[in-house]
């Protein structure tokens, strides 16, 4: 059973969910650092920021969208502990406040006097509205947010590269650049978010294709993943190329301001508002998914439905807002120290689960 519209929606949603705050910043930063050797960096980046996360996606789709089945090999306590750690890091204590600050970086160049707390309050209120009704999450992201987001990004990449200056050679080896790409790919944290994204995608496919068998859902999930992953690779190439070509114009800027600065250089000041809004929509799409997933975990698994879900949602968004006040650099440093040891372990587990022949005895629940 092949439903092109369903696969397209799922694939676009997958791209949009994965392409959040770190994905808008770190590829450009990698291109800026390695310049003429950025293709080697891109190769390493694709391994840890595309291939590995989609291995995680396929492992969870193979587990029928159930986190309890996916982490069942760790035991009940181990599964709860890893879920708690992941939800915290990709939720209000890490990625969601990072999304707020990347969005703010664009608007900061446009309006230097804008205080961070004022912007993040507006972002938080928008996030609250999108998360209030979670039943149409994939449709909202895949049909409404992604076309605007992807269209703006592609237009920016094409036009900016058209006006770009030649890439400067650097005294770096291909091996070092490849290793750097592998390492900085951790910072996207996409493998940690993969089970959360896959659970949403699987639930969406199952809802749309009620008569599909388990094998058919896995096939459709694979096709959707290939579509989403291909789009990611193309966009990452464009972003690293931008960082390499515009390296001289990025000196002295904060990483979260790179993309808007490139747009301003290539297209003029009047392009800045468009790019700033595109950044905000991109981050908002990812933050919507992650906030919804953390809220459900808090509501069901931690508080055992003793507190209203909307109260949990408001609390989650408030924590993310408070964390955003720490600043982008501090959040990146905090996450980097944890990811240095956690990410390799998760890669090993993701590969194991994809090829594990044992069927989990855990109940299926998204």
């Amino acid at each position: 059973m092949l439903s092109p519209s369903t696969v397209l929606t799922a694939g676009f949603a997958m791209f949009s969910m994965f392409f959040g705050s770190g994905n808008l910043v770190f590829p450009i930063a990698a291109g800026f650092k390695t310049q003429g050797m950025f293709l080697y960096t891109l190769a390493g980046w694709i391994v840890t920021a595309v291939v590995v996360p989609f291995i995680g996606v396929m492992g969870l789709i193979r587990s029928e969208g159930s986190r309890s089945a996916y982490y069942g090999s760790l035991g009940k306590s181990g599964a709860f502990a890893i879920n708690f750690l992941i939800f915290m890091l990709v939720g209000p204590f890490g990625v969601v406040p990072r999304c707020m600050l990347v969005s703010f970086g664009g608007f900061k160049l446009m309006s230097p006097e804008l205080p961070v707390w004022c912007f993040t309050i507006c972002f938080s209120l928008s996030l609250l509205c999108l998360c209030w009704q979670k039943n149409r999450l994939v449709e909202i992201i895949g049909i409404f947010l992604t076309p605007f987001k992807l269209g703006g990004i592609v237009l920016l990449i094409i036009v900016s590269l058209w006006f770009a200056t030649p890439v400067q050679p650097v005294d770096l080896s291909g091996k070092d650049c490849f290793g750097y790409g592998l390492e900085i790919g951790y910072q996207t944290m996409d493998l940690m978010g993969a089970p959360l994204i896959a659970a949403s995608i699987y639930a969406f496919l199952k809802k749309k294709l009620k008569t599909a068998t388990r094998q058919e859902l896995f096939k459709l999930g694979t096709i959707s993943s290939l579509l989403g992953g291909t789009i990611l690779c193309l966009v990452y190439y464009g972003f690293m190329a931008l960082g390499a070509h515009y390296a001289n114009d990025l000196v002295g800027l904060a990483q979260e301001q790179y993309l808007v600065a490139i747009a301003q250089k290539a297209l003029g000041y009047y392009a800045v508002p468009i790019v700033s809004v595109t950044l905000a929509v991109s981050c908002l799409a990812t933050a919507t998914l992650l906030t919804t997933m953390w809220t459900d975990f808090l509501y069901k698994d931690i508080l055992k439905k003793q507190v209203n879900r909307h109260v949990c949602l408001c609390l989650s968004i408030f924590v993310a807002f408070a964390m955003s006040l720490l600043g982008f650099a501090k959040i990146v440093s905090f996450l980097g120290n944890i990811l240095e040891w956690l990410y390799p372990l998760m890669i090993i587990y993701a590969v194991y689960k994809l090829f594990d022949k044992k069927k989990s005895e855990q109940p299926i629940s998204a």
Side-chain angles (χ1 to χ4, degrees), residues 53-65:
F54 278 95
I55 288 175
V57 167
M58 297 314 303
L60 196 123
I61 289 179
R62 188 170 178 268
S63 300
E64 300 186 46

Side-chain angles (χ1 to χ4, degrees), residues 309-347:
R309 181 184 178 275
H310 290 147
V311 173
C312 295
L313 175 61
C314 293
L315 177 62
S316 300
I317 293 176
F318 175 78
V319 172
F321 163 74
M323 287 292 296
S324 71
L325 300 180
L326 293 176
F328 185 83
K330 288 185 178 179
I331 292 176
V332 169
S333 177
F334 162 69
L335 293 175
N337 292 332
I338 299 174
L339 293 174
E340 188 175 350
W341 60 268
L342 179 62
Y343 215 84
L345 295 177
M346 292 195 66
I347 291 174

